[in-house]
Structures are given as C-alpha cells and as structure tokens.
Amino acid sequence: QSLVLYTDGLIEAVDGQGEEFGRVRLEDLLRSLAPEKEPDEIVEIIRREVREYTKDAILTDDLTLFVVKFA
C-alpha cells in the first residue's frame, strides 16, 4: 500500500481548454499502477501524466507530491 499526498496544484493543473486534471483522473491513474511500484516511480508517472495533460504549460499554482510506501 502507498500513501499519496499532494497539493491542490496537481489536481487543478489545466489543459489547453481550461479543464482541470482533477481528483478522479488522479485516482484512476493510481488505481492503474501495479502495487509493486516504488514511490519514486509513482511520482515520476504522475508528473509525466500531468505534463502530458497540460502540454507542459506553466503551472499557476504550486505542485507538491509525496508518496510513502508501506511494507
């Protein structure tokens, strides 16, 4: 199991049409990840997905992401 902590800048990141990345999209992404993924892999996957979603747009809010894996 993993614990994922993030600031609102992650789910409020917007695409070219102004649509937010959103909590549901993040939840779906996390559910799709294999449970054996390490925290650094999870962070990188989420960062990549947000970058792709926003087309590397400049974010207007902070984006903090912290993942802890429990043994």
Side-chain angles (χ1 to χ4, degrees), residues 12-20 53:
E12 293 176 356
V14 295
D15 65 7
Q17 286 73 43
E19 184 177 334
E20 293 183 347
Y53 185 78

Side-chain angles (χ1 to χ4, degrees), residues 11 19-20 24-26 37-38 46-47 50 52 57-60 63 67:
I11 59 173
E19 184 177 334
E20 293 183 347
V24 171
R25 185 174 277 105
L26 176 60
K37 293 279 188 209
E38 292 299 321
I46 294 171
R47 287 181 59 200
V50 170
E52 287 179 16
I58 296 173
L59 301 176
T60 58
L63 193 157
V67 178

Side-chain angles (χ1 to χ4, degrees), residues 5-57:
L5 303 172
Y6 59 91
T7 57
D8 62 344
L10 189 144
I11 59 173
E12 293 176 356
V14 295
D15 65 7
Q17 286 73 43
E19 184 177 334
E20 293 183 347
F21 187 77
R23 191 183 79 230
V24 171
R25 185 174 277 105
L26 176 60
E27 290 171 353
D28 290 345
L29 174 60
L30 291 171
R31 282 189 198 99
S32 74
L33 299 176
E36 64 272 359
K37 293 279 188 209
E38 292 299 321
D40 60 330
E41 294 175 292
I42 295 170
V43 167
E44 187 52 39
I45 290 167
I46 294 171
R47 287 181 59 200
R48 182 177 59 236
E49 290 294 319
V50 170
R51 277 194 311 269
E52 287 179 16
Y53 185 78
T54 62
K55 305 294 189 233
D56 288 324

